[in-house]
Amino acid sequence: MADTFVSQTRDALTAFWGERNERERKQIALAGVVALLALVYAVLIDPAYSGRAKLQKNLPTLRQQAADMQAMAGEAGALANNAAPPAPEMTKEGLDASMASKGLKAQNVAVTGNLAKIQLSAVSFAGVVAWLDEVQKSARVTVLDANVTVLPQADSVNVTLSLQQQKSE
């Protein structure tokens, strides 16, 4: 089937070419060469030339960005070598003081090593959240378990927290 199509097309082109006189053949051949050159230019030469010009235009900016990134990488390496100061050790007194600064009073605070269990009754939920945010940032403490019971008064809750202090690296 494909051979038939190819042979029919070849026969049709041969017949078309045979019907043309020498002048028409030269004009068709010249038009074909011009079309081929235009296609080569449009597909191969122009994109390469345009891309090269664009790259030359953007190259100074790219070099500056590369230099900036190398400087930032050097700063990051220097900062990585400087260890963060260790967080203060978690103590019952420290936890009580930080809660008092947020207007919270714990019923019970038990600290064992890097673990703490805290019970709060009838406290502001917003105050507990603010205190937890502060203690997580300043003392590198994470919440292992939280049990929150909502009370009928607005923004009032009973909370039991289990906290763990992250070890310094």
Side-chain angles (χ1 to χ4, degrees), residues 25-146:
R25 288 179 188 170
K26 285 181 183 179
Q27 287 177 343
I28 291 172
L30 182 62
V33 168
V34 169
L36 180 63
L37 289 175
L39 182 65
V40 167
Y41 179 80
V43 172
L44 301 176
I45 297 171
D46 186 49
Y49 184 74
S50 301
R52 182 173 180 242
K54 183 178 177 184
L55 185 60
Q56 284 179 341
K57 178 183 169 192
N58 292 338
L59 196 57
T61 304
L62 294 172
R63 284 186 176 143
Q64 180 62 42
Q65 289 174 348
D68 291 345
M69 288 186 63
Q70 286 177 343
M72 284 189 258
E75 285 181 33
L79 289 174
N81 292 335
N82 296 339
E89 188 175 327
M90 186 169 53
T91 63
K92 180 182 184 317
E93 294 78 19
L95 290 172
D96 283 335
S98 67
M99 283 187 281
S101 73
K102 295 293 181 185
L104 302 173
K105 175 93 172 110
Q107 274 187 312
N108 186 18
V109 177
V111 178
T112 308
N114 65 340
L115 298 173
K117 183 148 179 124
I118 301 172
Q119 292 178 336
L120 301 154
S121 293
V123 294
S124 165
F125 181 72
V128 172
V129 171
W131 173 73
L132 279 174
D133 184 48
E134 177 187 307
V135 80
Q136 284 176 331
K137 291 176 184 172
S138 65
R140 296 186 190 133
V141 173
T142 58
V143 178
L144 293 178
D145 185 43

